[in-house]
Every structure is written in structure tokens, then in C-alpha cells.
Amino acid sequence: MSENNIILTGDRPTGPLHLGHYVGSLKTRVRLQNTGEYEPFVMIADLQALTDNAENPEKIRQNILEVTLDYLAAGLDPSKTTIFVQSHIPALTELPMYYSNLVTMSRLERNPTIKQEIKLRNFERSIPVGFMTYPISQAADITAFRAKYVPVGEDQLPMLEQAREIVSSFNRIYKCDILVEPEAILPDSSSCNRLVGTDGSAKMSKSLGNCIYLRDDEKTIKQKVMSMYTDPTHINVSDPGHTEGNPVFSYLEAFATDELFAEYGGDYKSLDEMKEHYERGGLGDMKCKKLLNNVMQETLAPIRARREEYAKDKGALLEMLKKGTEHAAEVSNETLSLVRKAIGIDYFNDADFIERFVK
Ligand code: ATP
Ligand code: MG
């Protein structure tokens, strides 16, 4: 294939999007979209959301337009990015059927993301089959669009590895080069690769309830920042503190641009200088949190304002999703028909089959 600049990513509509999504993936999508050099597809992963919410489809229904609003608010532009709904793309249910024959159970069980997520959800042995196999479905999502680039946080790296293995098995076994091996595009800073939760746990995640959401209002943001976990050993202002693993500093790293720091950083010339003071002792958490609150308010205010604007016409949102979904179905159907041909099950259109077995 010639120049391939296709991008695919998605999010589970299990809640509104949070700061982790924003720095881990959304921001990169918007940046790449705006270069005009890519063909981006962004998927609302409702099928994947059903894998651990089968008994609660209402939660998913409630979040389809919420996630769509978050996308537009963050800067995705439907005239440049195809935004679509996973469950309405036939290729995304058919391809996993073919791919699942190329993956062993033990390979799925070794997937570190799956392992961690099973623990998090307390599934123990009662793991829904659909949940266990969602990495295969995710490989289908990416390959159906023959996407080369996948902007994600680092929790998704094992999924991409799995997708690449499926691609290489498929192309080898069916002697073709239809499927494209995808690459991750990770954010360039470690604090954004996996943004920590407001409670200090390793990942901000809807399932853990430790999120600041893109749609949070001013008061909620302030309250979340002010009650954030910091360094438990930093009891008195004069005590030396730890900035490593301290969410206040992780968030400052992720969000305090030079301009914002210049405006709100007070006496400090840089975040490094401030960190040094905190580590030495003599800088209180309250002062750091006040700075962070200013930074977060400045970052989220324009996103929230755009969100409110788009929320005024939900009909237009639904129409946009429908159009995007139709386009995505068309593109992925092409891959699907190539895949069927490569496997050799395209009986009704296959001249070779007809020649050998019908005539
Ligand atoms: P859930 O708890 O429902 O799994 P989630 O918050 O983990 O939700 P996903 O929909 O699984 O979110 O993730 C969507 C995208 O956002 C992925 O690319 C993932 O890497 C990225 N992402 C999610 N959380 C973070 C985070 N804390 N830091 C960086 N990237 C993240
Ligand atoms: Mg997740």
C-alpha cells in the first residue's frame, strides 16, 4: 500500500471523558487531525463497553452523546475526522470471528492489560467470554480501517502488540498483505502516558472513580483539586516532600504550559524550581493546589464552553454520528470483502471456486 496515514482510536461510552483520556489520546488526535496529513477515524466503542456492562445497556445509551460532546469540545472536527459508533459496523463483528481462530486462550490470558482489568472488576473465574476476547475485537477495530497509527495511553500497548500478532498471522496464513500492522502514538511525557488518579492510584479511570471530567464545572474542579491526594509524608509545610507519584505534580507536569506557569506560578520561574522547593521542604500543599486549580480552570473552561454550545443541538449530533457511521461502514466493508477473499470463503463471487467446484 502507498502512503498510509490512517488513524484509528476510540473510547468506551461508559462515562464522560476525563483528563486521562484528554492527555493520553484525545489531544494527540486533535493535533494530528489538524495537520491535515492524516485520515482519522474515532470510534465510540459501545460493543466493547457491553463486554463488562451487558446487564446495564442503559449506562451505554446515556453516554453515547456524552462522549460525542466531549470529542467535539476537545476539538475533534467531524469535517476532518470520521466519528462513528462501533455496533453499527458489520465488519467489526465479523472480523473477530475470523481472528479468534488465530489466537490461543493462553495468549489472551497472558495479556497484562486484561489481567489487570479482570482483577479490577473482581471477575475471578466468572469472566464474560466477550470481555476475555475484547483484544481480538480491538484488533478488528484497527485493522478494519487498515489503520497505521493508534494514538493511545500506554495501558493500550499490550492491545497493539496483540493486534500486530493477529495481522502477521493472518497475512502469513492467508498469503496476503491486506492487513496493516498498527503502531501506537504515545504522548511524549511520562505523566501523560498514564495519568494518575486524583486518589494517587496508578491510573485515572472511570472504573476507579478517581477522575476529573472534561465536563466538570468550576466548583467541582476546585473541590476535586483541593481534596486531592498528595504526599502523605509531607505533614508540616517545612517537611521535605515527594513530587514523584504525587498527583498534584503529575497534573502540573501534564497541564501547566509555559504560558500558564508564567501567569500563575508566582515566584517560581519553572515547575522544576517549584518541585525542588517542595522536595527541600517549606512549600505547602495548599499553595501547589491553588496553582493547579488555576491551571485546570484555564484548561477546561474553553472545552466546557464548546461543549455547552454543541449540547444545544443534540439532533445535529446524532445526524453527524449517523453520517460518520455510514462512512466507516463503507470503508470497513472493503477490508471485509478482501479478508473473505483471502480466506477463500467468498464462494458466490470467486471465479476460481466456481471454475473448480461448480462448472
Ligand atoms: P474504563 O474504566 O471504562 O476502562 P478508561 O477510563 O480506562 O475507562 P478507556 O475508554 O478504556 O478509558 O480508554 C480510552 C483511551 O484513553 C485509551 O486510549 C487509553 O489509553 C486512554 N486513557 C484512559 N485513561 C488514561 C489515563 N489515565 N492516562 C492516559 N491515557 C488514558
Ligand atoms: Mg479502560
Side-chain angles (χ1 to χ4, degrees), residues 304-336:
R304 197 169 53 237
R306 275 199 297 270
R307 200 179 199 285
E308 279 159 19
E309 213 35 58
Y310 285 113
K312 287 181 185 157
D313 192 351
K314 299 267 181 71
L317 285 184
L318 192 65
E319 198 47 44
M320 179 279 285
L321 272 185
K322 192 169 166 223
K323 264 173 87 184
T325 302
E326 282 162 4
H327 176 62
E330 248 170 61
V331 173
S332 56
N333 271 339
E334 287 168 26
T335 309
L336 187 57

Side-chain angles (χ1 to χ4, degrees), residues 14-79:
T14 49
L17 300 185
H18 54 65
L19 296 181
H21 298 118
Y22 184 67
V23 294
S25 176
L26 211 39
K27 232 172 124 177
T28 318
R29 300 177 204 176
V30 173
R31 179 172 57 78
L32 297 177
Q33 162 200 274
N34 290 339
T35 64
E37 288 168 14
Y38 294 87
E39 191 183 340
F41 290 85
V42 170
M43 176 181 83
I44 302 183
D46 60 339
L47 286 178
Q48 196 189 118
L50 275 170
T51 65
D52 60 341
N53 289 286
E55 287 167 28
N56 193 7
E58 182 59 21
K59 177 165 153 190
I60 295 161
R61 283 164 66 85
Q62 278 169 3
N63 283 297
I64 299 287
L65 294 187
E66 287 302 310
V67 171
T68 308
L69 278 172
D70 285 330
Y71 284 161
L72 301 181
L76 286 181
D77 174 351
S79 72

Side-chain angles (χ1 to χ4, degrees), residues 127-183:
I127 308 162
V129 171
F131 186 84
M132 198 61 209
T133 57
Y134 94 70
I136 299 174
S137 159
Q138 216 164 300
D141 303 335
I142 301 167
T143 55
F145 297 90
R146 279 172 283 165
K148 177 84 193 146
Y149 302 109
V150 187
V152 279
E154 70 176 7
D155 61 317
Q156 294 299 310
L157 290 179
M159 298 298 165
L160 277 156
E161 190 54 42
Q162 178 84 73
R164 277 195 295 274
E165 283 174 30
I166 290 174
V167 167
S168 96
S169 300
F170 186 96
N171 287 347
R172 177 176 48 78
I173 293 168
Y174 301 116
K175 298 186 183 59
C176 61
D177 60 358
I178 295 165
L179 301 186
V180 176
E181 286 199 19
E183 298 171 13

